[in-house]
Amino acid sequence: MPDDASFDLIFRKASLAGHEHPVDIGVRQGRFAAIAPEIVADAPEVVIGGRAVLPGFVDTHVHLDKACLLGRCGHLHGGLREAIAAVSAMKREFTVADVYARGAQVLDRAIGKGTTRMRSHVEVDPRVGLRSFEALKALKRDYAWAIGLSICVFPQEGLTNDPGTEELLIQALQDGADVLGGCPYTDSDPDGQIARLFDLATRFDVDLDFHLDFDLDTSWMHLDEVCRQTKQRGYGGRVAIGHVTKLSALPPDAFARAADRLAEAGVAVTVLPATDLYLMGREATHDVPRGLTPAHRLLDHGVVCSVATNNVLNPFTPFGDASLLRMANLYANAAQVGPEGFPACVDLVTTLPARLMNLTDYGIAVGHPADLIVLDAPTPAQALAGIAEPIMGFKNGRQSFSRPAAQLLAPAREVLQPRAASLEANLDPSLPSLRA
């Protein structure tokens, strides 16, 4: 039982994974300093009361630059190609201030829903230049008090077929971009794009995160080339692929082979339920396929996976509140995951995406940044099942948000004794009296 008066803050009676009973958590200078059944110390405290505590949700795949565009485009654009074209036309007019304002709306929501780490993809090409990238750099700086934001620059509309794009990517990488992304299925030379992006990632020593295989035609896939390049370059553990909806259409044997290739190469997978469910299978007139890759089955093969937000209120996904707990619940529902799999679904928005992003300081452990959220439920699995709201959050030991529980305002009620008497009169005379 640590006895130290120098704690800056103590969380009392927190339900924490790996501990059979609630524990106290001590914070000093913005970091976790002690975890014990009881901390005896005189310090400010927050009484958790047995609620579940997590180190915060981790969103590995968001597009802050093109969020909140409904109203500008009508979103009546159908499938993936139409959504890309709609945003392509609009982004020519994007300004730094515009992207900043729309991205801030999503960050405000994400923080209030318990996200403490995020990777945002941002488009870089001759049409938008570096304006969106500059906006995200400002957001990263201005929201560091509540969320750790990693910026992934990528060519949405092609690389080898889009002159000037590579030079802009290089400029962004020189100017602080954290990760390099790709989108081979929009390139006239997909394998050429993959190879060139590996060249750049190696040159700048950054991780890679591809949009990949985003349809249901299993006659061709770029997954094999990404896995091959990953092994050839010694980049295992530093490559992620998002969507990969083709995997959802593979028969069991082919799926198992693909999963084993991913695990062997060290390539992680991000599933994006809201967008994938919304865009896939639109050509079907009935018996519409889900188009949702089963991340929980990939986990069985040793593939690191995450579930993430992707788009919010735009042609790709015309809804969203940036809640990763709701997204994990949506995934579990659509993927038909039963209660026995709920803990793994929580892992898909916490510990597993932290591994995908190589976050070595993530988690509630002594020495790590004091980032945590409190869920209004006794366990994370119960929070997932009921989409229990996070009621408060802390970043580096400082409170970042609070959400008081809803207060129900029922009308005043009178005690109706005559009604009770009438009920008693109608009971079987052989039963004991209500007044007994």
Side-chain angles (χ1 to χ4, degrees), residues 124-202:
V124 171
D125 59 36
R127 287 156 294 287
V128 72
L130 295 174
R131 297 189 299 276
S132 295
F133 172 63
E134 292 297 330
L136 262 68
K137 285 200 302 178
L139 288 167
K140 178 178 180 176
R141 177 196 67 221
D142 294 348
Y143 277 86
W145 57 271
I147 192 167
L149 180 62
S150 174
I151 302 174
C152 176
V153 292
F154 85 110
Q156 171 74 86
E157 300 177 54
L159 176 63
T160 68
N161 58 313
D162 200 3
T165 296
E166 183 170 337
E167 290 75 12
L168 289 167
L169 288 171
I170 291 172
Q171 189 174 341
L173 290 165
Q174 291 171 335
D175 199 21
D178 304 290
V179 183
L180 180 61
C183 195
Y185 55 78
T186 63
D187 203 301
S188 57
D189 181 7
D191 288 354
Q193 180 184 127
I194 292 168
R196 188 61 190 135
L197 291 173
F198 269 97
D199 289 342
L200 290 175
T202 303

Side-chain angles (χ1 to χ4, degrees), residues 74-91:
H75 95 267
L76 300 176
H77 304 289
L80 175 63
R81 291 189 180 188
E82 291 83 1
I84 291 174
V87 173
S88 178
M90 285 186 287
K91 71 183 176 185

Side-chain angles (χ1 to χ4, degrees), residues 58 117-118 353-363 368:
V58 181
R117 309 285 185 105
M118 175 183 286
R355 283 180 58 191
L356 184 154
M357 290 178 61
N358 292 309
L359 301 177
T360 58
D361 62 351
Y362 175 84
H368 284 187

